[in-house]
Amino acid sequence: MEKRVMTVGKRRRSLAAAAAVLSGVLVLSACNDDDAGTAASGSPSATSQAQVDEAAEQKTSKAQITISPENGAKNASINNDAKVAVTEGKLTEVTMTSAEGTAVKGEIAADGLSWKPTGQLERATVYKIAATAVDASGLEAHENSSFTTVSKENSFIGNFTPEDGSTVGVGMPVSINFNKAITDKKAVQGGIKVTSSSGQEVVGHWFDATRLDFRPDDYWKAGSTVTLKLDLDGVEGADGVFGVQQKTVTFKVGRSQVSTVDVATKTMTVVRDGKVLRTIPISAGSPENTTYNGQMVISEKFKETRMNGATVGFTDSDGKGEYDIKDVPHAMRLSTSGTFIHGNYWGARSIFGSVNTSHGCIGLADVKGAGDPKQAAAWLYDQSITGDVVIVKNSKDDTIAPSNGLNGWNMNWSAWKAGSAL
């Protein structure tokens, strides 16, 4: 049996290898054992995880940035949702861009704690926000977010009349026509407020799922100011369909002018602020095509316009209009269905005040080209503004429907209030 003797050199090499293996075991144990905070000798480890984390925290900004909407949000508002805020620091830079790279203007508040866009965003658009802030130590924090604004398919708007800053007659209601059917009328009407400096009670009335009008019990007080406030941003008008408007509109009510057409006597009496300005001979609808009775509001004015019978159902056997006059002078609309008060140059002068000959409109003497201010139709046109009231009486027709034009005054107050969703 051979006896092997280990030399001193071999013994030293073996001990070194064993020490290396043992050292590796200790290192692995320290990385994997939560309680291993000391080396085998019992002395503290200089590379413990807690110390590493603490050192990292000392180099991290304390500023906390919050971006709204949250990253990945859909159907975000185009008015109020986009904003950035910071605590324990100040914002130094915020950039907002569309997916195409178009920059959106915005402002950091004077105190450096917030930011928001200065204008309205576009619908159905992806936006990205990148924000930077610094804390008291000058250390920077960064935050990024991306969101999508509400699409046109998932939003609604209301087209309103009268226009902001306009002056109108005492009969002008606030009329809002929505571009999508509203199913939650209470929520939508709750986001709309109409008030008058006169203190008159103003109530909304739904004619259908897309039209909401507001008016007081009686005509607006002359000289008053009416304010329409639309606060519809984020209001769900129908399932998954949200409002996007946030707007305040004011208009002035001018002098009170109410003109009364008596179909039987074929005259119109114009009264302003309680005083008669003028009585004018007219020609109303013929016995075959009578003029509506009722209170009508001038909604549009045209110095000259085309009137084609085919557009309102008056056609010949060939399907063409019974009339097609391309230059009707001094025309003012009274109904959606085509009732106007306008100048008439094609009829004999003898008809005015003596016979009713029209297809339902109210005609006044005028000249071709609308160039003579002395004509009755020209005078009335110059004296009138949208919102003035024209009352027709003693016709053999029915009272005009309240929804036909801006003519809700033909509904009594209790019925009007019954059409409110609030």
Side-chain angles (χ1 to χ4, degrees):
M1 181 176 182
E2 184 179 4
K3 185 177 180 181
R4 298 184 180 273
V5 178
M6 182 177 291
T7 65
V8 173
K10 288 182 178 180
R11 186 182 294 114
R12 288 176 178 171
R13 287 194 294 271
S14 297
L15 289 172
V21 171
L22 181 58
S23 175
V25 171
L26 289 175
V27 171
L28 289 173
S29 298
C31 289
N32 293 302
D33 189 346
D34 291 339
D35 296 326
T38 59
S41 63
S43 61
S45 171
T47 57
S48 70
Q49 190 64 51
Q51 289 174 311
V52 172
D53 291 346
E54 183 179 356
E57 287 177 3
Q58 291 176 353
K59 297 180 181 180
T60 300
S61 176
K62 289 182 171 58
Q64 299 292 323
I65 302 172
T66 302
I67 299 178
S68 299
E70 63 182 14
N71 191 43
K74 307 291 184 184
N75 290 325
S77 164
I78 62 174
N79 294 292
N80 299 319
D81 280 3
K83 51 193 170 184
V84 180
V86 65
T87 58
E88 298 190 65
K90 303 278 187 176
L91 291 169
T92 57
E93 183 180 15
V94 178
T95 60
M96 182 175 184
T97 57
S98 67
E100 293 76 23
T102 303
V104 176
K105 292 182 179 180
E107 290 183 353
I108 296 176
D111 59 10
L113 299 179
S114 63
W115 173 95
K116 62 181 180 180
T118 54
Q120 191 179 69
L121 306 181
E122 297 294 330
R123 286 188 283 179
T125 302
V126 177
Y127 288 100
K128 297 179 180 180
I129 296 178
T132 302
V134 295
D135 64 8
S137 299
L139 296 175
E140 287 190 343
H142 302 272
E143 195 72 43
N144 294 273
S145 183
S146 178
F147 63 92
T148 306
T149 52
V150 64
S151 67
K152 291 184 178 181
E153 292 74 18
N154 292 102
S155 61
F156 70 88
I157 62 171
N159 297 302
F160 55 85
T161 191
E163 296 180 359
D164 187 28
S166 59
T167 298
V168 299
V170 296
M172 177 64 77
V174 173
S175 185
I176 305 171
N177 287 274
F178 299 102
N179 67 334
K180 289 186 175 66
I182 302 301
T183 56
D184 193 343
K185 295 178 179 177
K186 183 175 181 180
V188 171
Q189 189 175 338
I192 303 172
K193 189 174 183 180
V194 180
T195 57
S196 172
S197 63
S198 67
Q200 292 172 278
E201 179 187 12
V202 184
V203 177
H205 179 94
W206 290 88
F207 285 111
D208 52 37
T210 60
R211 180 178 170 186
L212 172 63
D213 283 16
F214 289 83
R215 70 168 177 89
D217 183 8
D218 202 353
Y219 304 140
W220 303 105
K221 299 296 183 183
S224 60
T225 298
V226 180
T227 301
L228 162 65
K229 186 173 183 180
L230 296 169
D231 192 10
L232 296 174
D233 187 57
V235 174
E236 191 169 16
D239 188 23
V241 180
F242 300 89
V244 295
Q245 288 169 296
Q246 186 170 297
K247 188 177 183 66
T248 298
V249 174
T250 61
F251 61 90
K252 184 83 172 179
V253 179
R255 74 291 177 276
S256 171
Q257 181 165 304
V258 179
S259 302
T260 301
V261 173
D262 188 331
V263 174
T265 62
K266 304 167 188 65
T267 58
M268 178 177 68
T269 302
V270 181
V271 177
R272 179 179 294 175
D273 295 326
K275 297 181 180 180
V276 176
L277 293 184
R278 187 172 175 179
T279 298
I280 303 171
I282 60 95
S283 179
S286 68
E288 297 77 24
N289 302 296
T290 50
T291 303
Y292 286 121
N293 286 296
Q295 304 170 75
M296 305 182 210
V297 174
I298 297 174
S299 58
E300 291 181 292
K301 294 178 64 183
F302 307 99
K303 188 172 183 180
E304 291 184 277
T305 191
R306 178 186 180 186
M307 291 188 179
N308 186 344
T311 64
V312 289
F314 292 112
T315 57
D316 292 325
S317 57
D318 58 3
K320 295 182 179 180
E322 292 182 10
Y323 56 88
D324 186 4
I325 306 170
K326 297 179 175 62
D327 57 351
V328 177
H330 299 118
M332 297 184 285
R333 181 183 291 277
L334 300 178
S335 78
T336 305
S337 62
T339 307
F340 280 79
I341 185 165
H342 62 77
N344 179 336
Y345 66 79
W346 53 89
R349 290 278 163 157
S350 59
I351 67 172
F352 301 108
S354 62
V355 60
N356 293 317
T357 62
S358 80
H359 283 79
C361 291
I362 301 159
L364 288 74
D366 209 340
V367 295
K368 186 178 178 66
D372 185 356
K374 296 180 181 179
Q375 298 297 312
W379 177 87
L380 180 66
Y381 185 90
D382 291 341
Q383 297 295 320
S384 301
I385 58 176
T386 57
D388 282 349
V389 179
V390 176
I391 300 174
V392 178
K393 66 179 185 179
N394 295 326
S395 174
K396 297 188 182 299
D397 207 329
D398 296 329
T399 297
I400 192 168
S403 60
N404 187 0
L406 303 176
N407 299 322
W409 304 105
N410 295 286
M411 183 181 295
N412 66 50
W413 189 231
S414 61
W416 183 266
K417 294 176 74 173
S420 172
L422 300 180

